[in-house]
Coordinates of all heavy atoms in Angstrom, one line a residue:
T30 N -6.2 31.5 0.9 CA -6.6 32.5 1.9 C -5.3 32.9 2.6 O -4.4 32.1 2.9 CB -7.6 32.0 2.8 OG1 -8.9 31.9 2.1 CG2 -7.8 33.0 4.0
V31 N -5.2 34.2 2.9 CA -4.1 34.7 3.8 C -4.7 35.2 5.1 O -5.6 36.1 5.0 CB -3.3 35.8 3.1 CG1 -2.2 36.3 4.0 CG2 -2.8 35.4 1.7
E32 N -4.3 34.6 6.2 CA -4.8 35.0 7.5 C -3.6 35.6 8.3 O -2.7 34.9 8.7 CB -5.4 33.9 8.3 CG -6.0 34.3 9.6 CD -6.5 33.1 10.4 OE1 -7.7 32.8 10.2 OE2 -5.8 32.5 11.2
D33 N -3.7 36.9 8.5 CA -2.6 37.6 9.2 C -1.2 37.3 8.8 O -0.3 36.9 9.5 CB -2.8 37.4 10.7 CG -2.0 38.4 11.6 OD1 -1.7 39.5 11.1 OD2 -1.6 38.0 12.7
G34 N -1.0 37.3 7.4 CA 0.3 37.0 6.9 C 0.6 35.6 6.7 O 1.7 35.3 6.2
R35 N -0.3 34.6 7.0 CA 0.0 33.2 6.8 C -0.8 32.7 5.6 O -2.1 32.9 5.6 CB -0.3 32.4 8.1 CG 0.0 30.9 7.9 CD -0.2 30.2 9.3 NE 0.0 28.8 9.1 CZ -0.1 27.9 10.1 NH1 -0.5 28.3 11.4 NH2 0.1 26.6 10.0
L36 N -0.2 32.0 4.7 CA -0.8 31.5 3.5 C -1.4 30.1 3.7 O -0.7 29.2 4.2 CB 0.2 31.5 2.3 CG -0.2 30.9 1.0 CD1 -1.4 31.7 0.4 CD2 1.0 30.8 0.1
Y37 N -2.7 29.9 3.3 CA -3.3 28.6 3.3 C -3.8 28.3 1.9 O -4.4 29.2 1.2 CB -4.5 28.6 4.3 CG -4.2 28.8 5.7 CD1 -4.1 30.0 6.3 CD2 -3.9 27.6 6.5 CE1 -3.8 30.1 7.7 CE2 -3.6 27.8 7.8 CZ -3.5 29.0 8.4 OH -3.2 29.1 9.8
F38 N -3.7 27.1 1.5 CA -4.2 26.6 0.2 C -5.5 25.9 0.5 O -5.5 24.9 1.2 CB -3.2 25.7 -0.5 CG -2.0 26.4 -1.0 CD1 -0.9 26.5 -0.2 CD2 -1.9 27.0 -2.3 CE1 0.3 27.2 -0.6 CE2 -0.8 27.7 -2.7 CZ 0.3 27.8 -1.9
L39 N -6.6 26.4 -0.2 CA -7.9 25.8 0.1 C -8.3 24.8 -0.9 O -9.0 23.8 -0.6 CB -9.0 26.9 0.1 CG -8.7 28.0 1.1 CD1 -9.9 29.0 1.2 CD2 -8.5 27.4 2.5
Q40 N -8.0 24.9 -2.2 CA -8.4 24.0 -3.2 C -7.6 24.2 -4.5 O -7.1 25.3 -4.7 CB -9.9 24.0 -3.5 CG -10.3 25.2 -4.3 CD -11.8 25.0 -4.8 OE1 -12.7 25.1 -4.0 NE2 -12.0 24.8 -6.0
T41 N -7.5 23.2 -5.3 CA -6.9 23.3 -6.6 C -7.7 22.4 -7.6 O -8.3 21.4 -7.2 CB -5.4 23.0 -6.6 OG1 -4.9 23.3 -7.9 CG2 -5.2 21.5 -6.4
R42 N -7.7 22.8 -8.8 CA -8.3 22.0 -9.9 C -7.7 22.3 -11.2 O -7.1 23.4 -11.3 CB -9.8 22.2 -9.9 CG -10.2 23.7 -10.2 CD -11.7 23.9 -10.1 NE -12.0 25.3 -10.0 CZ -12.9 25.8 -9.2 NH1 -13.7 25.1 -8.5 NH2 -13.1 27.1 -9.1
A43 N -7.9 21.4 -12.2 CA -7.4 21.7 -13.5 C -8.1 23.0 -14.0 O -9.3 23.2 -13.9 CB -7.7 20.6 -14.4
A44 N -7.3 24.0 -14.5 CA -7.8 25.3 -14.8 C -8.8 25.2 -16.0 O -8.4 24.5 -17.1 CB -6.7 26.2 -15.2
K45 N -10.0 25.7 -15.9 CA -10.8 25.9 -17.1 C -10.1 27.0 -18.0 O -9.7 28.0 -17.5 CB -12.2 26.4 -16.7 CG -12.9 25.5 -15.7 CD -13.1 24.1 -16.2 CE -13.9 23.2 -15.2 NZ -14.0 21.8 -15.6
R46 N -10.1 26.7 -19.3 CA -9.3 27.6 -20.2 C -10.0 27.7 -21.5 O -10.9 26.9 -21.9 CB -7.9 27.0 -20.4 CG -7.9 25.6 -21.0 CD -6.8 24.7 -20.7 NE -6.8 24.2 -19.4 CZ -6.0 23.3 -18.9 NH1 -5.0 22.8 -19.6 NH2 -6.1 22.8 -17.6
T47 N -9.7 28.8 -22.2 CA -10.2 28.9 -23.6 C -9.6 27.9 -24.5 O -8.6 27.3 -24.2 CB -9.9 30.3 -24.1 OG1 -8.4 30.4 -24.3 CG2 -10.3 31.4 -23.2
P48 N -10.3 27.6 -25.6 CA -9.7 26.6 -26.5 C -8.3 27.0 -27.0 O -7.4 26.1 -27.1 CB -10.7 26.6 -27.7 CG -12.0 27.0 -27.1 CD -11.7 28.0 -26.0
L49 N -8.1 28.3 -27.2 CA -6.7 28.7 -27.6 C -5.7 28.5 -26.5 O -4.6 28.0 -26.8 CB -6.8 30.2 -28.0 CG -5.4 30.8 -28.4 CD1 -4.9 30.2 -29.7 CD2 -5.6 32.4 -28.6
A50 N -6.1 28.8 -25.3 CA -5.2 28.5 -24.2 C -4.9 27.0 -24.0 O -3.8 26.6 -23.7 CB -5.8 29.1 -22.9
A51 N -6.0 26.2 -24.2 CA -5.8 24.8 -24.1 C -4.7 24.3 -25.1 O -3.9 23.4 -24.8 CB -7.1 24.1 -24.4
L52 N -4.8 24.8 -26.3 CA -3.8 24.5 -27.4 C -2.4 24.9 -26.9 O -1.4 24.0 -27.0 CB -4.2 25.2 -28.7 CG -3.2 25.0 -29.9 CD1 -3.3 23.6 -30.4 CD2 -3.7 26.0 -31.0
R53 N -2.2 26.1 -26.5 CA -0.9 26.6 -26.1 C -0.3 25.8 -24.9 O 0.9 25.5 -24.8 CB -0.9 28.1 -25.9 CG -1.1 28.9 -27.2 CD -1.2 30.3 -26.9 NE -1.2 31.1 -28.1 CZ -1.6 32.4 -28.2 NH1 -1.9 33.0 -27.2 NH2 -1.5 33.0 -29.4
I54 N -1.2 25.6 -23.9 CA -0.8 24.9 -22.7 C -0.3 23.5 -23.0 O 0.7 23.0 -22.5 CB -1.9 25.0 -21.6 CG1 -2.0 26.4 -21.1 CG2 -1.6 24.0 -20.5 CD1 -3.3 26.6 -20.2
A55 N -1.1 22.8 -23.8 CA -0.7 21.4 -24.2 C 0.6 21.3 -24.8 O 1.5 20.5 -24.5 CB -1.8 20.8 -25.1
V56 N 0.9 22.2 -25.8 CA 2.2 22.3 -26.5 C 3.3 22.6 -25.5 O 4.4 21.9 -25.5 CB 2.1 23.3 -27.6 CG1 3.5 23.5 -28.2 CG2 1.2 22.8 -28.7

């Protein structure tokens, strides 16, 4: 979220990805 020009990180998680993306990301 950005509040009046200030950046806040709310959450992160391992990205859900397509099988093809999983292959390329792993390599």
Side-chain angles (χ1 to χ4, degrees):
T30 290
V31 181
E32 181 182 274
D33 196 24
R35 182 175 178 181
L36 173 65
Y37 293 90
F38 292 89
L39 301 186
Q40 74 172 69
T41 189
R42 57 184 163 221
K45 304 298 183 186
R46 62 205 75 173
T47 65
L49 178 62
L52 177 66
R53 289 177 174 167
I54 289 169
V56 170

